[in-house]
Amino acid sequence: MSAEEHPMPNQQITIRTRDGDCPSHVVLPASGGPWPAVIFYMDAGGIRPAMLNMAQQLADAGYIVLLPDLFYRYGPYGPFVPEEVFVGDFRAVLGPLMATTGSLTAAEDAEAMLAYLDTRDDVRGREVGVVGFCMGGGMALVTAGTYPDRFAAAASFHGGNLATDAPTSPHLFAPRLKAEVYIGAAENDGSYPSAMAERLQRPLTEADVRYTSQTYSAAHG
């Protein structure tokens, strides 16, 4: 792994995972430190200015933010402009990239992400947070359940397929969670209907996980 020698608000680094080199951004608060760390899982639109701006908002709140490019196995791509991609057949464009990652794959990559954060003297403590948007929502929950002793908080924003019949469904990781959980749902979201929300919340409640679930009056994304 490599990083710029001197701290900057946005450092571009490369983290070596089991499957290759993952380009990543580290977004820092303007001053002070050390800070608690947050791993930021992007949505299916990939790394683009909107993701960096959102990471910066977290940094401005006092966190060091690690934003990995989860599509690194695919190779070079985009950047995509969502307004343009979703006008046409977005699955044809984004599907091949999304096929290179998934919740378990992201959790496996998190081993290297955590090891990287452990090398930084500007990270405070071993417990970190994880936040995911859309595609990244389920990844956040599965990652926190895979490494329960490392994650103090996990948040999913308009995540889909959070409770399904798949053997890797995020809701199955509820009994392992030690993190406090936040679920921000979109209104009338076909990828996260009310029945699925109930299916997710049931094991969270049974496992005594501290969680908050809210539905926003906004569309998915």
Side-chain angles (χ1 to χ4, degrees), residues 2-216:
S2 62
E4 295 177 351
E5 182 177 356
H6 301 291
M8 297 179 66
N10 183 347
Q11 301 173 356
Q12 297 186 46
I13 65 167
T14 300
I15 296 178
R16 182 71 178 178
T17 73
R18 298 180 189 180
D19 291 337
D21 293 332
C22 178
S24 306
H25 294 265
V26 178
V27 185
L28 305 174
S31 61
W35 310 278
V38 173
I39 297 176
F40 184 123
Y41 287 143
M42 66 195 198
D43 63 17
I47 301 298
R48 59 192 190 280
M51 292 291 100
L52 291 169
N53 289 340
M54 293 162 73
Q56 186 61 62
Q57 290 183 50
L58 273 175
D60 290 344
Y63 298 91
I64 181 169
V65 183
L66 175 61
L67 173 61
D69 187 344
L70 302 174
F71 293 153
Y72 71 92
R73 294 173 180 85
Y74 180 86
Y77 67 90
F80 299 117
V81 179
E83 292 85 351
E84 298 174 357
V85 172
F86 284 93
V87 168
D89 186 356
F90 70 92
R91 296 186 187 280
V93 177
L94 301 179
L97 285 82
M98 295 175 65
T100 66
T101 188
S103 294
L104 288 185
T105 305
E108 181 180 285
D109 287 345
E111 181 181 18
M113 310 298 169
L114 290 167
Y116 168 74
L117 292 173
D118 288 343
T119 68
R120 296 188 63 112
D121 59 11
D122 53 0
V123 171
R124 188 177 73 210
R126 280 179 52 81
E127 289 190 324
V128 303
V130 59
V131 58
F133 292 81
C134 187
M135 175 188 76
M139 295 176 175
L141 299 181
V142 171
T143 295
T146 302
Y147 307 97
D149 293 328
R150 294 302 308 268
F151 286 92
S156 166
F157 288 91
H158 57 90
N161 300 317
L162 300 183
T164 70
D165 292 333
T168 58
S169 176
H171 80 289
L172 298 177
F173 289 77
R176 300 187 58 186
L177 286 167
K178 294 183 180 179
E180 184 169 355
V181 172
Y182 178 83
I183 307 294
E187 191 174 48
N188 299 319
D189 188 345
S191 68
Y192 188 64
S194 58
M196 185 180 294
E198 294 175 4
R199 191 176 184 184
L200 171 64
Q201 292 172 29
R202 189 179 307 115
L204 291 174
T205 300
E206 292 173 351
D208 291 326
V209 176
R210 293 179 60 195
Y211 75 93
T212 299
S213 179
Q214 291 181 301
T215 299
Y216 294 97

